[in-house]
Amino acid sequence: MAAGESGKVDHFQPHPVKEQLTVDCCVRSSPSWPEGIFLGFQHYLVMLGTIVIVSTILVPLMGGGNVEKAEMIQTLLFVAGINTLLQTWLGTRLPVVIGASFAFIIPAISVAFSSRMSVFLNPRQRFKQSMRAIQGALLIASFVQGMIGFFGFWGIFGRFFSPLSAVPLVTLTGLGLFVIGFPRLADCVEIGLPALVILVILSQYIPQKIKSRGVDRFAIIVTIGIAWAFAEILTAAGVYNKRPLSTQFSCRTDRSGLITAAPWIRVPYPFQWGSPTFNVGDIFAMIAASLVAIVESTGTFIAASRFGGATHIPPSVLSRGVGWLGIGTLLNAMFGAATGSTASVQNAGLLGLTRVGSRRVIQMSAGFMLFFSIFGKFGAVIAAIPLPIVAAVYCVLFAYVASAGLGFLQFCNLNSYRSMFIVGFSLFIGLSVPQYFLEYLTLSGHGPAHTGSTSFNNIVQVIFSSPATVAIIVAYFLDATMSREHASTHRDSGRHWWEKFRTFNQDIRSDEFYGLPMNLNRFFPSA
């Protein structure tokens, strides 16, 4: 009888808390070289979508055509490869890809539409002048990012961070990008929806049926290959010949214009568009975007540490990563990329899908970025993948990052009304406020902040259009100020779980995952 009662009690025990997630390959370990190469190419495919989307949005508004679009993609790929290597070698050392950021789109569009650009009638000249203005603003913004990181300011933020406030930050780092998920998939639902269904089946159902952990690792490559081939068949069959131009652009495989526009070989070089120009209003708007990029990258870093099987990222390492993010934005500015750098959310989600959080795999993906950025024709073929297929992949990968954020609830007391309010309220406000700003902009042509200062308007629009940024502002403030006098508050927020990671040397595992090569740790603060 006692044994039966004991069995019932065990059956209803809660799941144990896990500081480190179980993975097939952690940050320090690596798969075999052939498998690592394919996984690296898969990470390249995933990050390429964001670069194509950013270039597709910005280049036409700046006066550029297919040639400028191809040059922009090559430049973004080139600096992304360098920045990814720097981040994995000298930054956080986490398996994160550093790519283009959506946060910089609003300031870049503001530059393109400014009255001083309208005087240039030649589209190519207007494109160059817009790029030079963006470069100048990015240069200053990169110094702000670097100072926040290398001077340890972001480490101070990290020391007062708790699992409770991490939940809305990481969750909305994934969920906040829903607008480039199913809405973009639906631009060509006949290829996007099958791609989504195939990916779910390959990654979630087939591995369970055949009891194998290999099929899901390459589910992205297989899914894109099948959906792309299907899109080629529909295009060749003339299915879209009489459809609207917007549908043809989304569905056809021969409408990107990149393959003919891209050169066979081209090496991006610093200040390729000319000397940067500076405008105070542009600079402040870019600084605001760089702060948003820091916040969103922080959410991605935390998710990547979870999916990489590492311990929680120490504040000093987080600050170090932000510092190198600033170096990345500096390189973007020098080489003439249209946006600053950020940690790629979808690649963090891919770590969860494959359960391979290897640093070496990410470095291999950086090699693919550099290769395809130089040999333009080859890169253009892959960049011509219809965006609805990419959006289908993002529906799964962003969901993984969101689930990583929800996973931090295990460290918190969910029977506490304080915890429930902070999580629920910050998630709701984090989604609701940016949606309000987006709808206002769509209906009125300008944001809710409509003063005589364009730079102020852009600053407000950039900050409050980011779900992750709004969520962490609310959650961090509430967690730091609500019921601080109660003895249970510290444990309810889960702070005691992360106490051992507040300084680098407090937990011996920190050096295993985040230690720099060649004993370079001595040049960076550990507290």
Side-chain angles (χ1 to χ4, degrees):
M1 187 68 178
E5 291 177 357
S6 176
K8 287 183 179 180
V9 171
D10 291 339
H11 181 71
F12 288 102
Q13 284 295 314
H15 294 289
V17 172
K18 282 193 172 185
E19 283 188 333
Q20 295 171 261
L21 200 62
T22 303
V23 295
D24 294 338
C25 287
C26 71
V27 175
R28 295 181 68 250
S29 60
S30 303
S32 64
W33 277 100
E35 187 175 6
I37 291 172
F38 277 106
L39 288 169
F41 181 71
Q42 196 165 236
H43 275 280
Y44 162 73
L45 284 178
V46 166
M47 69 83 60
L48 180 61
T50 300
I51 287 179
V52 173
I53 292 172
V54 169
S55 301
T56 301
I57 293 172
L58 290 181
V59 171
L61 299 179
M62 295 161 62
N66 288 332
V67 172
E68 288 78 13
K69 182 179 173 183
E71 291 173 346
M72 178 62 64
I73 291 174
Q74 285 184 270
T75 302
L76 284 169
L77 273 177
F78 188 78
V79 292
I82 297 175
N83 291 335
T84 299
L85 290 175
L86 290 175
Q87 190 66 235
T88 54
W89 281 337
L90 302 171
T92 60
R93 303 271 291 164
L94 286 168
V96 291
V97 169
I98 304 299
S101 172
F102 290 108
F104 294 85
I105 287 181
I106 292 176
I109 291 177
S110 178
V111 170
F113 284 170
S114 62
S115 57
R116 66 184 188 277
M117 296 301 164
S118 62
V119 300
F120 300 101
L121 300 180
N122 183 285
R124 176 72 177 180
Q125 186 65 20
R126 180 166 164 255
F127 174 80
K128 285 186 174 183
Q129 293 297 328
S130 298
M131 282 302 312
R132 293 170 62 186
I134 292 173
Q135 281 182 268
L138 282 175
L139 279 172
I140 305 301
S142 69
F143 289 117
V144 175
Q145 273 186 324
M147 288 189 294
I148 290 174
F150 289 132
F151 288 175
F153 295 118
W154 203 244
I156 297 173
F157 163 84
R159 283 201 294 274
F160 295 97
F161 203 43
S162 73
L164 185 65
S165 51
V167 171
L169 169 62
V170 182
T171 301
L172 291 192
T173 297
L175 287 186
L177 295 169
F178 69 91
V179 292
I180 57 172
F182 201 87
R184 296 289 69 78
L185 178 156
D187 288 340
C188 190
V189 71
E190 57 265 39
I191 62 173
L193 190 57
L196 178 59
V197 173
I198 292 169
L199 180 56
V200 172
I201 291 173
L202 288 177
S203 64
Q204 307 302 324
Y205 286 91
I206 290 183
Q208 302 300 324
K209 292 293 184 182
I210 66 176
K211 308 296 183 183
S212 171
R213 282 290 312 147
V215 177
D216 52 339
R217 288 188 182 177
F218 307 106
I220 299 290
I221 292 179
V222 176
T223 297
I224 291 177
I226 294 173
W228 196 6
F230 181 55
E232 286 279 5
I233 293 172
L234 294 179
T235 301
V239 173
Y240 304 112
N241 289 349
K242 297 182 180 180
R243 302 286 291 276
L245 289 178
S246 59
T247 302
Q248 292 191 35
F249 181 78
S250 298
C251 299
R252 295 181 67 103
T253 57
D254 57 358
R255 284 291 185 269
S256 69
L258 294 175
I259 297 176
T260 55
W264 280 103
I265 298 177
R266 178 179 180 271
V267 180
Y269 55 92
F271 305 113
Q272 56 188 322
W273 316 114
S275 301
T277 59
F278 299 91
N279 177 276
V280 175
D282 298 340
I283 289 172
F284 281 111
M286 283 294 182
I287 290 175
S290 69
L291 297 178
V292 170
I294 289 175
V295 171
E296 294 176 348
S297 295
T298 299
T300 306
F301 288 147
I302 295 172
S305 68
R306 190 77 176 151
F307 288 135
T311 55
H312 177 61
I313 181 169
S316 60
V317 175
L318 188 61
S319 199
R320 189 175 75 200
V322 168
W324 281 101
L325 202 67
I327 298 295
T329 300
L330 176 63
L331 290 175
N332 281 30
M334 290 176 59
F335 280 86
T339 75
S341 61
T342 191
S344 174
V345 180
Q346 59 269 27
N347 289 89
L350 185 54
L351 300 177
L353 179 69
T354 61
R355 302 185 198 177
V356 176
S358 170
R359 183 189 300 131
R360 181 179 294 171
V361 166
I362 300 301
Q363 291 168 345
M364 290 180 185
S365 75
F368 282 109
M369 297 173 212
L370 293 172
F371 175 83
F372 286 112
S373 69
I374 294 173
F375 296 95
K377 289 290 186 187
F378 298 103
V381 172
I382 300 174
I385 296 172
L387 291 179
I389 299 176
V390 177
V393 171
Y394 286 175
C395 287
V396 173
L397 301 185
F398 292 155
Y400 266 104
V401 174
S403 67
L406 295 174
F408 290 109
L409 289 171
Q410 65 182 309
F411 301 110
C412 310
N413 180 10
L414 293 181
N415 293 316
S416 162
Y417 283 100
R418 176 186 181 273
S419 299
M420 287 190 285
F421 172 75
I422 292 175
V423 170
F425 185 68
S426 57
L427 286 174
F428 181 84
I429 294 298
L431 286 173
S432 186
V433 170
Q435 183 64 24
Y436 164 72
F437 272 75
L438 176 63
E439 290 180 359
Y440 202 109
L441 181 64
T442 303
L443 295 174
S444 306
H446 56 79
H450 189 51
T451 67
S453 172
T454 303
S455 61
F456 175 78
N457 300 340
N458 289 336
I459 290 171
V460 174
Q461 190 70 28
V462 166
I463 292 175
F464 291 99
S465 293
S466 168
T469 304
V470 174
I472 192 56
I473 290 173
V474 174
Y476 196 84
F477 175 79
L478 292 177
D479 191 32
T481 57
M482 276 183 62
S483 306
R484 287 183 55 85
E485 67 280 2
H486 293 174
S488 62
T489 296
H490 186 81
R491 292 183 61 85
D492 287 348
S493 296
R495 294 181 186 276
H496 59 294
W497 285 101
W498 286 359
E499 285 286 350
K500 64 174 74 71
F501 304 113
R502 288 190 67 180
T503 57
F504 185 85
N505 296 321
Q506 216 168 329
D507 191 288
I508 193 173
R509 294 170 294 177
S510 295
D511 187 63
E512 177 186 354
F513 297 112
Y514 304 106
L516 294 174
M518 297 179 291
N519 200 28
L520 290 174
N521 284 343
R522 66 184 186 276
F523 294 110
F524 293 90
S526 60

